[in-house]
Amino acid sequence: MEQFLRLFSGLNGKFESLSPAARTLLVSGAALAILRLLVGHRPKGRSAYYVSDLAKVVGKRPVDVPAAEIAHAEYDVIVIGGGTSGCALAARLSEDPNIRVLLLEAGGSGAALRDSSTPAGFGRLLFNKKHVHGLRTEPQTAAGGKVNFWPRAKMLGGCSSINAQMAQYGAPSDFDQWAEYTNDPSWAWKNFSKYFRKFESYQPHPAHPHIDAATRGAAGPVHIGFYNTVTQTSKAFVDACVGVGIERRGDFCGGEGTGGVGRIMTYVDKKYTRVSSETAYLTTDVLQRENLTVAINATVTRILFDTIKDEGTGEKKQQAAGVEFAREKGGQWWEAFASKEVVLCAGAVHSPHILMRSGIGPPSHISSFLLPLYHPLPGVGQNLTDHPVIDLSFASLHTSAKFLKPSSVVDVLRVLWSVLRYRVGWGGALAMNFGEGAAFVRSDDKSLLKGIGEGVGEEGGKDLVDIVDSTSGVGAPDLEIFSTPFAYKDHGQFFFDVHTYALHVYLLRPLSTGEVLLQGSSPWEQPSVNPNYLTHPSDLAKLIHGIRLSLLIARTPPLSSILDHSCTRPDLDHQLHLLTDEELERVVRERVETVYHPVGTCRMGPGDGKGGDGGDVVDSRLRVFGVGGLRVCDASVFPWIVSGHTAGACFAIAEKLADEMKAEFRAARLG
């Protein structure tokens, strides 16, 4: 490859002599050619089973007859949203041939997109309006009024089709906390963990013989392992973390514990291909089931209800009967009906949006948009929680993969070589997931406080003693520091003009919460999202601490020898360790971004004995309080955000709910 590049070095010199406009045109043309290579030869087979003619999924029923009383109703269960949880739930429910399932997805197939299936390609999709909802937050009052970009996937697989494929699930005590809050021991880790094992298919790697395969699932549909490409700089990051006192960890989700540092497992299979909820659960064998219909480009505009009498109290209540959906604004709309249940799996933004659009939620808010109120639930859209992240960028003395956004002829040639290498099954740069290594720590770990300098009690600055402990247990972390092989800004839209390396610190258990609200009565108007970053003072203090720890790691061997700490460029962070806490506070407020993990807007809980008036939206079996035949199954039900990455818990809650619903339906049949 290097000889090949030297052969074309003369071409690069000629390229540099061109005008800026000519260089841009040439590189853009080359990038387009590369894109065609990437998107060519899309996977076939799966898409042939998806229904795009929405008229074919419509159910029929006589006027004024409740859906539950129609023996010939087209479906038993309608699943709204084919995201991380939705694909899993629909596939598992349809394992029972007696359950007729309709899955409605607003977008198309994620697996059909090369930028999704190629591990390194997902950044190209974040600003693609066809496949991703490019939401913007409300101005963040504690972050200088900045408006943050908040992408949410619009495709089968949901955000499992566009995430960084990092397979870490949080701390066991996270789920013990869920069990305690809901008064339901089935959510405790000792009971709930079987559903993580159920979705897993751990793929042993010869370079990682230390992993105890007995603690991981082996027969599930979701392949996990170490088959992504990692850089030498990432390995230096792990060693530097060990150098500052962080324990080396081989498996964050095994029996060793959650804290520590190591290479992180990924949802990437042995062929260096992303494993999403769609590719794992909606296989061609599953899609051939006669009792499963998967409709794409079908946006649910509202849930339909019947008014029925409660058999116990005799009081009237709302029963979910079906859904209304359409392909596009101003186009034809259709209705489909479910004889048993409707399950919302539209995610932490769009599940509450659909509920409120359907008349379930805060009464005054719904009424302000002249929408009919079917059932008051004040907690819908509240408790929005996200992991806030701060990016740190450094000049690197090693060659990085910045050529993936080509700016020269040599860069174009490197990309072409990477495409060829990936296509023949050799992995390489396109098999990177970017989140290569990670450290999970507690901000109050006194063994890590030494050497950080200002910002910790003994060294001066702010004292962490008074900071609120938001972790779920003694061994659970509240900070994650992960590395990427090069630095970027604006969610990957901007690459630096020099070789770089980056560390990213994010708060695992923030105390700041926000809300999702309607912005209009139209189903096509995106909701308002306001995560309220940094409104709790503990969040700010912990992130400052995380930055100081990250800067210490960056200046610790062997990572320190790879980074150019003589660099004084103001847009890089080699001098950041010289700042005071007050100056770092400004840095945090200026830079805070999402790490794409919103949860909590349809919170699961006991309901405080008030049927949801206490802020809870669903019970421990994910049934919406006060409404029959309606459940929610996605990250919106998390009572608290997990101490890590959210996709695993989304798979697991779908596995759990599918088992419970199948058991309920089976008992009713046997009756």
Side-chain angles (χ1 to χ4, degrees):
M1 177 59 183
E2 293 304 321
Q3 291 178 343
F4 182 68
L5 292 176
R6 285 198 296 271
L7 180 64
F8 284 88
S9 60
L11 281 177
N12 194 49
K14 293 180 180 179
F15 173 83
E16 296 297 336
S17 67
L18 297 174
S19 69
R23 290 201 300 268
T24 300
L25 182 62
L26 181 60
V27 172
S28 298
L32 180 60
I34 293 166
L35 177 62
R36 287 176 176 171
L37 278 173
L38 282 170
V39 302
H41 308 291
R42 296 181 181 183
K44 296 180 180 179
R46 180 181 286 106
S47 295
Y49 296 97
Y50 298 147
V51 178
S52 56
D53 182 355
L54 301 186
K56 293 182 178 179
V57 305
V58 176
K60 297 181 175 65
R61 66 168 179 168
V63 177
D64 295 330
V65 177
E69 297 179 9
I70 305 173
H72 64 275
E74 194 71 20
Y75 307 103
D76 297 302
V77 178
I78 296 176
V79 178
I80 302 172
T84 308
S85 297
C87 288
L89 180 64
R92 290 302 196 188
L93 287 175
S94 66
E95 289 176 340
D96 184 340
N98 296 297
I99 303 174
R100 298 162 298 174
V101 181
L102 170 62
L103 173 61
L104 294 170
E105 167 53 42
S109 171
L113 304 173
R114 280 287 181 187
D115 282 335
S116 175
S117 61
T118 305
F122 66 93
R124 296 174 56 88
L125 288 171
L126 295 182
F127 290 86
N128 187 317
K129 294 181 180 180
K130 180 179 179 181
H131 302 298
V132 173
H133 297 289
L135 305 178
R136 301 279 174 175
T137 68
E138 295 298 317
Q140 296 302 285
T141 58
K146 70 179 298 189
V147 174
N148 292 79
F149 177 60
W150 253 51
R152 308 308 300 155
K154 189 175 78 167
M155 64 185 80
L156 285 168
C159 289
S160 74
S161 293
I162 62 169
N163 64 11
Q165 302 138 102
M166 299 169 76
Q168 189 272 354
Y169 309 146
S173 56
D174 294 346
F175 307 104
D176 293 340
Q177 188 181 38
W178 291 13
E180 182 179 2
Y181 179 67
T182 60
N183 297 319
D184 186 343
S186 70
W187 290 103
W189 178 250
K190 66 178 181 180
N191 301 315
F192 186 38
S193 59
K194 67 182 180 183
Y195 290 109
F196 289 86
R197 305 292 86 83
K198 185 176 181 180
F199 78 68
E200 287 181 335
S201 178
Y202 173 63
Q203 306 296 301
H205 193 289
H208 296 270
H210 55 278
I211 301 298
D212 182 3
T215 66
R216 311 310 298 257
V222 181
H223 288 202
I224 59 170
F226 296 99
Y227 283 91
N228 59 310
T229 296
V230 295
T231 61
Q232 288 298 321
T233 316
S234 172
K235 297 173 183 177
F237 161 74
V238 173
D239 290 340
C241 286
V242 174
V244 302
I246 301 173
E247 184 179 357
R248 193 183 299 272
R249 185 74 67 213
D251 184 356
F252 294 113
C253 302
E256 301 179 23
T258 307
V261 63
R263 181 177 172 181
I264 201 160
M265 283 192 197
T266 59
Y267 302 108
V268 177
D269 66 19
K270 289 183 177 180
K271 295 181 179 179
Y272 305 108
T273 302
R274 172 192 292 274
V275 180
S276 71
S277 187
E278 178 191 11
T279 63
Y281 286 94
L282 298 185
T283 64
T284 53
D285 287 342
V286 170
L287 291 168
Q288 290 181 69
R289 294 172 183 162
E290 293 185 359
N291 62 321
L292 174 62
T293 301
V294 179
I296 57 174
N297 303 314
T299 297
V300 171
T301 54
R302 65 187 176 109
I303 299 167
L304 305 174
F305 298 100
D306 287 328
T307 301
I308 63 172
K309 272 190 176 182
D310 187 290
E311 294 182 0
T313 64
E315 296 179 356
K316 291 183 178 181
K317 65 180 292 187
Q318 297 300 319
Q319 172 86 17
V323 296
E324 177 187 274
F325 58 98
R327 182 186 302 279
E328 59 192 357
K329 182 179 181 180
Q332 184 178 354
W333 54 268
W334 295 269
E335 294 179 347
F337 300 98
S339 64
K340 290 182 172 63
E341 302 210 30
V342 174
V343 187
L344 260 171
C345 299
V349 171
H350 290 100
S351 281
H353 182 226
I354 293 171
L355 281 175
M356 288 185 283
R357 272 274 316 140
S358 305
I360 308 295
S364 60
H365 179 62
I366 291 173
S367 300
S368 69
F369 291 97
L370 304 180
L371 293 169
L373 178 68
Y374 285 99
H375 182 69
L377 264 183
V380 173
Q382 300 301 301
N383 194 47
L384 174 62
T385 311
D386 184 35
H387 287 141
V389 66
I390 307 297
D391 301 331
L392 303 173
S393 305
F394 307 95
S396 175
L397 299 173
H398 284 196
T399 300
S400 70
K402 74 181 185 71
F403 65 83
L404 291 176
K405 189 182 284 291
S407 60
S408 68
V409 170
V410 171
D411 285 352
V412 170
L413 296 175
R414 286 185 181 276
V415 174
L416 289 172
W417 168 249
S418 296
V419 171
L420 176 63
R421 184 178 180 183
Y422 183 76
R423 284 291 183 83
V424 299
W426 295 347
L430 295 185
M432 294 190 302
N433 73 308
F434 300 123
E436 300 179 332
F440 294 87
V441 301
R442 290 182 64 97
S443 59
D444 61 359
D445 185 346
K446 293 184 178 180
S447 68
L448 300 178
L449 301 184
K450 297 178 181 179
I452 295 178
E454 186 179 352
V456 296
E458 295 179 356
E459 301 291 335
K462 295 182 179 178
D463 197 328
L464 288 175
V465 173
D466 297 326
I467 300 303
V468 176
D469 180 4
S470 59
T471 62
S472 58
V474 175
D478 58 7
L479 289 171
E480 177 181 346
I481 301 168
F482 69 93
S483 64
T484 53
F486 51 82
Y488 53 82
K489 290 184 177 181
D490 299 330
H491 304 266
Q493 292 293 287
F494 171 83
F495 280 23
F496 289 87
D497 57 353
V498 296
H499 293 296
T500 55
Y501 183 72
L503 298 179
H504 313 265
V505 55
Y506 76 80
L507 188 59
L508 293 171
R509 299 281 293 188
L511 292 168
S512 303
T513 62
E515 59 188 1
V516 173
L517 295 172
L518 296 171
Q519 289 198 109
S521 59
S522 169
W524 306 99
E525 189 168 1
Q526 291 294 335
S528 159
V529 291
N530 183 10
N532 272 334
Y533 291 132
L534 309 177
T535 50
H536 195 289
S538 287
D539 293 355
L540 183 62
K542 290 178 182 179
L543 282 170
I544 291 173
H545 177 74
I547 289 175
R548 291 207 179 277
L549 180 57
S550 300
L551 296 173
L552 176 63
I553 293 167
R555 304 182 78 83
T556 299
L559 185 57
S560 58
S561 63
I562 294 173
L563 305 181
D564 183 7
H565 286 303
S566 66
C567 178
T568 58
R569 282 178 52 157
D571 58 343
L572 295 172
D573 294 324
H574 297 275
Q575 308 302 310
L576 214 61
H577 66 290
L578 301 176
L579 301 186
T580 64
D581 274 342
E582 287 70 24
E583 290 168 326
L584 281 182
E585 181 177 315
R586 289 195 293 272
V587 170
V588 171
R589 295 187 190 280
E590 291 168 0
R591 296 190 189 183
V592 64
E593 290 284 359
T594 178
V595 81
Y596 321 114
H597 292 166
V599 308
T601 49
C602 297
R603 187 176 69 193
M604 173 175 62
D608 292 341
K610 303 175 183 177
D613 288 349
D616 300 325
V617 176
V618 300
D619 67 12
S620 65
R621 296 179 77 86
L622 308 188
R623 298 171 294 200
V624 175
F625 286 113
V627 181
L630 182 61
R631 306 197 203 211
V632 183
C633 179
D634 55 38
S636 69
V637 306
F638 291 14
W640 286 275
I641 198 165
V642 295
S643 307
H645 298 254
T646 52
C650 289
F651 287 133
I653 62 173
E655 292 277 8
K656 183 177 186 290
L657 180 60
D659 274 4
E660 292 172 346
M661 290 179 68
K662 285 189 288 187
E664 289 175 15
F665 296 162
R666 189 181 307 114
R669 285 198 304 271
L670 297 176

